[in-house]
């Protein structure tokens, strides 16, 4: 056995579902899944019920996470069509602002240019006062993170350029998108981007096999789109899971009646690292590529505080099959079940304490920290 020591990973895109959808996931089960995947910091998305769009709701979410999480958690605020920029007073306590401009799960889709323009302008004005957050100095605002596919992508790039707002593009899936992001970076637009493991390792060719287990937003793309993500890996700043658990019954699997509108989204926290290490084993990327995109870059882009005495130990030679049964996520399934992988997380040490070992979470709920709650400037 050869043990590899890596920094605790950051997953910059997860849906922990609390409040409102605790039957899918909650702060305890979601962060247990994170530790099992070698992830010691997660950034939680705002499309809960109710959505995290006001100061009171962010405070409520922070209290829940502080009481129940077993790894560190940053919380996004989200823009809604009806509440304008109600979140602005607590913008420094959020890891960033999430805006949905493409088809998604939940009620957070923004659908007018007038509102998009206002959201970028007011975030930039708030940043005139607070600055943007720099790693190590935990105050200021995070970036605007967008779910913007296809023709919505250049809209967001233009607003970022006009207001000089750091813009992070969530889950890029297509050749057209990654090539435009490359061009934007070459022209000094302040943009960064992320790609999910499912968009790197699955394509439309897998849909007949996966059925409803392969439905997420953005949808799985063509093999040529997948090839483009690999060709442009130097443009990809972050690997993030978009861990979006829904039950198999909601997906219409194992139930007699097909649901009218099955929710899109797949779990991912526990499978990202083994999938990436398997790609490293095959020579498709290096361990340094993984550490840059799963730790260093998300820390820099979101200005996350360092986690002292924190690391993970991985048996890189362990070869095994991913199964639904081994998972900590409440929904208990993965689109990667049956896949053989290399690399097993053996131990996770958070702030000097062993919080995960040999398949068991040892941390007590509430031992995770909620980021940025002190930064009241
Ligand atoms: C996400 C979810 O279920 O919350 N679903 C998905 O397919 N990715 C929403 C999202 O990230 O757009
Ligand atoms: Zn998401």
């Amino acid at each position: 056995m050869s043990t590899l020591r890596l920094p605790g990973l950051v997953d910059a895109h997860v849906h922990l579902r609390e409040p409102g959808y605790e039957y899918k996931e909650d702060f305890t089960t979601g962060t247990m899944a994170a530790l099992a995947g070698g992830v010691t910091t997660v950034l939680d998305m705002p499309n809960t019920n109710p959505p995290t769009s006001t100061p009171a709701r962010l405070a409520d979410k922070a209290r829940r996470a502080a009481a129940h999480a077993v790894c560190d958690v940053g919380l996004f605020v989200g823009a809604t069509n009806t509440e304008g920029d109600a979140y602005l007073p607590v913008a420094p306590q959020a890891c960033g602002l999430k805006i949905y401009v493409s088809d998604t799960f939940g009620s957070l889709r923004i659908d007018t240019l007038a509102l998009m323009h206002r959201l970028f302008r007011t975030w930039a004005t708030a940043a005139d006062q607070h600055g943007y957050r720099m790693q190590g100095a935990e105050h200021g605002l995070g970036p605007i993170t967008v779910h913007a596919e296809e023709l919505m992508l250049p809209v967001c790039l233009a607003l970022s350029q006009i207001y000089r707002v750091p813009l992070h593009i969530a889950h890029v899936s297509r050749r057209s998108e990654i090539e435009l992001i490359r061009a934007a970076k070459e022209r000094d637009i302040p943009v960064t981007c992320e790609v999910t493991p499912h968009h790197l390792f699955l394509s439309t060719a897998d849909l007949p096999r996966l059925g409803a287990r392969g439905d997420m937003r953005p949808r799985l793309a063509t093999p040529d789109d997948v090839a483009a993500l690999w060709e442009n890996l130097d443009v990809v700043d972050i690997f993030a899971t978009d861990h979006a658990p829904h039950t198999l019954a909601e997906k219409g699997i194992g139930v007699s009646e097909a649901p009218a509108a099955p929710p899109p989204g797949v779990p991912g926290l526990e499978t990202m690292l083994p999938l990436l290490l398997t790609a490293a084993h095959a020579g498709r990327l290096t361990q340094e590529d993984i550490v840059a995109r799963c730790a260093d870059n998300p820390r820099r882009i979101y200005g996350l505080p360092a986690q002292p005495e924190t690391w993970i130990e991985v048996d890189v030679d362990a070869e095994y099959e991913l199964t639904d049964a081994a998972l900590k996520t409440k929904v208990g399934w993965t689109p990667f079940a049956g896949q053989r992988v290399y690399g097993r997380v053996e131990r996770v040490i958070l702030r000097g304490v062993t919080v995960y070992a040999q398949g068991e979470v040892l941390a007590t709920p509430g031992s995770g920290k909620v980021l940025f709650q002190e930064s009241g400037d």
Side-chain angles (χ1 to χ4, degrees), residues 99-102 113 116 120 144-169 180 189-191:
I99 306 179
Y100 293 85
V101 279
S102 296
L113 174 59
M116 277 297 278
F120 274 76
I144 293 184
T145 295
V146 291
H147 175 172
E149 298 180 43
E150 270 284 332
L151 283 169
M152 295 315 288
L153 174 60
V155 170
C156 295
L157 289 171
L159 288 165
S160 158
Q161 168 77 329
I162 291 165
Y163 287 105
R164 304 307 299 168
V165 174
L167 176 69
H168 182 70
I169 313 295
L180 181 63
I189 293 180
V191 62

Side-chain angles (χ1 to χ4, degrees), residues 13-15 17 21 24 45 47-48 98 100 102-106 147 149 170-171 196 198-199 215-219 241-246 251 263-266:
H13 190 148
V14 305
H15 299 264
R17 302 299 192 205
Y21 304 109
K24 300 176 197 270
M45 288 294 166
N47 64 338
T48 42
K98 178 73 185 284
Y100 293 85
S102 296
D103 182 27
T104 182
F105 168 73
H147 175 172
E149 298 180 43
H171 39 48
T196 68
H198 47 267
H199 292 116
D215 181 32
M216 75 292 285
R217 300 295 177 274
R219 294 175 195 277
T241 63
D242 192 10
H243 178 82
H246 299 285
K251 296 258 182 199
V266 298

Side-chain angles (χ1 to χ4, degrees), residues 91-254:
Q93 278 95 62
C95 59
L97 168 64
K98 178 73 185 284
I99 306 179
Y100 293 85
V101 279
S102 296
D103 182 27
T104 182
F105 168 73
S107 61
L108 282 183
R109 181 157 174 189
I110 298 298
D111 46 23
T112 67
L113 174 59
L115 190 48
M116 277 297 278
H117 185 179
R118 169 172 156 187
L119 297 171
F120 274 76
R121 191 179 62 227
T122 55
W123 196 257
T125 306
D128 288 342
Q129 185 190 343
H130 300 287
Y132 286 109
R133 190 178 286 130
M134 308 291 283
Q135 196 172 346
E138 283 184 42
H139 47 80
L141 305 193
I144 293 184
T145 295
V146 291
H147 175 172
E149 298 180 43
E150 270 284 332
L151 283 169
M152 295 315 288
L153 174 60
V155 170
C156 295
L157 289 171
L159 288 165
S160 158
Q161 168 77 329
I162 291 165
Y163 287 105
R164 304 307 299 168
V165 174
L167 176 69
H168 182 70
I169 313 295
H171 39 48
V172 176
S173 66
R174 296 179 181 85
R175 177 179 289 282
S176 56
E177 295 162 352
I178 197 70
E179 290 183 352
L180 181 63
I181 293 167
R182 173 182 289 285
K185 285 187 171 193
E186 285 167 2
R187 285 155 185 81
D188 293 327
I189 293 180
V191 62
T192 54
C193 72
E194 81 196 18
V195 168
T196 68
H198 47 267
H199 292 116
L200 281 175
F201 297 112
L202 299 172
S203 73
T204 47
D206 295 291
L207 279 175
R209 175 175 65 82
L210 289 171
R213 287 181 176 82
D215 181 32
M216 75 292 285
R217 300 295 177 274
R219 294 175 195 277
L220 291 178
T222 67
D224 179 64
D225 289 315
V226 175
L229 299 180
W230 285 97
E231 283 161 28
N232 290 282
L233 218 48
D234 59 319
V235 179
V236 176
D237 300 280
I238 293 180
F239 295 139
T241 63
D242 192 10
H243 178 82
H246 299 285
T247 66
L248 284 176
E250 288 175 299
K251 296 258 182 199
I253 296 167

